């Protein structure tokens, strides 16, 4: 391999490393490069709140329910190459019966690093948290 090819490989590796570090700063988590889960420290981050609202809206479409997003209770984030996974606990008002009550739900949302980003609701279930 010629010297120019080594330089190109080194430059591309550095660019990938820097991209991974900066991505962690934009999603409400501490900047880390790993595959484990990191707690979401800022539950009032508009991006993360938007994911919670998205999860409730998608669940309502799929299950024919009438939940109303109230707030985020907790959450964690997992950054992967090309995608970011979120596991968030959502407080939502259940308006399907005569009684309206606030219940907690755990949602798993995946965001693919495409333009525009593609979001998918992977699971949504009641929780006792």
């Amino acid at each position: 391999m010629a010297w120019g090819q080594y330089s190109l490989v080194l430059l591309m590796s550095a660019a990938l490393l820097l991209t991974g570090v900066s991505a962690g700063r934009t999603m409400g988590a501490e900047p880390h490069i790993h595959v484990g889960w990191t707690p979401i420290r800022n539950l009032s981050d508009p991006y993360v709140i938007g994911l919670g609202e998205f999860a409730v809206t998608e669940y309502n479409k799929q299950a024919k329910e009438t939940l109303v997003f109230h707030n985020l209770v907790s959450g964690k984030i997992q950054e992967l190459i090309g995608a970011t996974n979120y596991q968030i606990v959502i407080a939502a008002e259940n308006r399907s019966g005569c009684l309206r009550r606030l219940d907690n739900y755990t949602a798993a949302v995946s965001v693919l690093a495409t333009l525009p980003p593609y979001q998918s609701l992977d699971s949504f279930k009641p929780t006792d948290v």
Side-chain angles (χ1 to χ4, degrees), residues 35-110:
V35 243
W37 291 90
T38 303
I40 298 173
R41 304 212 189 286
N42 183 6
L43 294 174
S44 60
D45 181 328
Y47 181 81
V48 180
I49 290 172
L51 291 175
E53 292 170 339
F54 164 79
V56 171
T57 300
E58 283 300 305
Y59 175 75
N60 284 341
K61 287 179 191 175
Q62 294 172 14
K64 309 278 191 270
E65 288 288 340
T66 54
L67 299 180
V68 176
F69 177 84
H70 190 266
N71 67 289
L72 295 174
V73 177
S74 65
K76 54 188 175 179
I77 182 173
Q78 180 186 45
E79 296 180 68
L80 304 171
I81 296 173
T84 305
N85 297 323
Y86 295 84
Q87 186 175 21
I88 49 180
V89 178
I90 300 166
E93 185 179 347
N94 188 339
R95 294 187 174 179
S96 59
C98 297
L99 299 175
R100 294 183 178 190
R101 65 181 192 273
L102 207 57
D103 293 321
N104 289 337
Y105 300 86
T106 298
V109 178
S110 296

